[in-house]
Amino acid sequence: MFDTTDSPFSPRGVDRGTLAMLSAVDISSAGKLLDLGCAYGVVGIYAAKFIGEENVVMSDIDHKSIVLSNKNAELNNVSGIKIVQSDGFRNLEDTGFTHILSNPPYHADFSIAKHFIEKGFNRLAIGGFMVMVTKRRDWYKNKLVSIFGGVMIQEIDGYFVFVAEKRSEKYAGVKK
């Protein structure tokens, strides 16, 4: 059960991109998960049901999204999720994530996605996964490969789901 009425993102219910992303990842294997750009909390709340609310962090820049996420966490009996208002990673200090999931605002310029990918890499544990869903393929593929060294891509329901694994402490493009 989710209250979406005041959400600036997908106010009529869970969007197809988020559903595509969730269908492509095994959340039950996550140790510590970040729902980056959580909107009203679908991904984080879903994850908390599998891995425990104490292992989930949700963040969004939008105050209304934070209010709705808190409300929805309570409605779904996972009020122990850590929910933080943050512009990307700017107010978020957590590290050691095994999974970072995001449905970024891909209709905007790429500066938000660039921040999510570059800073997200630094917040992942070795062996952790960055999972993103967009309707755009090439820019995301190129950026994820330049940072992670590779990316798996699935096309689901008109969306591209990207899964990149952190295998080193350094960006792939940085010489040792």
Side-chain angles (χ1 to χ4, degrees), residues 11-164:
R12 292 187 178 89
V14 183
D15 86 301
R16 292 186 355 237
T18 298
L19 293 173
M21 179 175 62
L22 288 173
S23 76
V25 66
D26 179 12
I27 288 189
S28 67
S29 68
K32 182 178 180 184
L33 182 139
L34 171 62
D35 179 359
L36 181 59
C38 65
Y40 51 87
V42 171
V43 171
I45 291 167
Y46 178 76
K49 296 291 188 174
F50 289 94
I51 64 171
E53 58 197 83
E54 69 280 0
N55 296 312
V56 176
V57 178
M58 298 180 353
S59 72
D60 202 290
I61 190 172
D62 182 69
H63 178 72
K64 283 183 182 179
S65 294
I66 298 302
V67 169
L68 277 173
S69 290
N70 277 300
K71 181 178 182 180
N72 287 327
E74 286 182 28
L75 285 171
N76 287 279
N77 300 312
V78 289
S79 58
I81 294 173
K82 180 177 181 179
I83 303 172
V84 179
Q85 185 170 355
S86 181
D87 181 0
F89 289 95
R90 290 175 180 90
N91 297 334
L92 188 63
E93 296 179 11
D94 296 69
T95 62
F97 293 103
T98 60
H99 290 72
I100 297 175
L101 278 68
S102 184
N103 184 347
Y106 53 84
H107 297 297
D109 66 43
F110 292 109
S111 65
I112 295 168
K114 180 178 185 273
H115 171 80
F116 282 14
I117 293 167
E118 291 176 355
K119 300 304 179 190
F121 178 90
N122 297 324
R123 302 302 181 92
L124 283 168
I126 295 290
F129 296 94
M130 167 76 67
V131 183
M132 301 183 104
V133 62
T134 75
K135 284 222 173 225
R136 297 180 176 191
R137 184 179 191 274
D138 293 338
W139 186 91
Y140 285 87
K141 175 187 174 195
N142 293 336
K143 184 63 178 176
L144 286 161
V145 167
S146 75
I147 299 299
F148 287 85
V151 65
M152 294 183 302
I153 305 168
Q154 291 183 37
E155 187 172 356
I156 302 170
D157 198 20
Y159 290 85
F160 297 102
V161 180
F162 303 89
V163 180

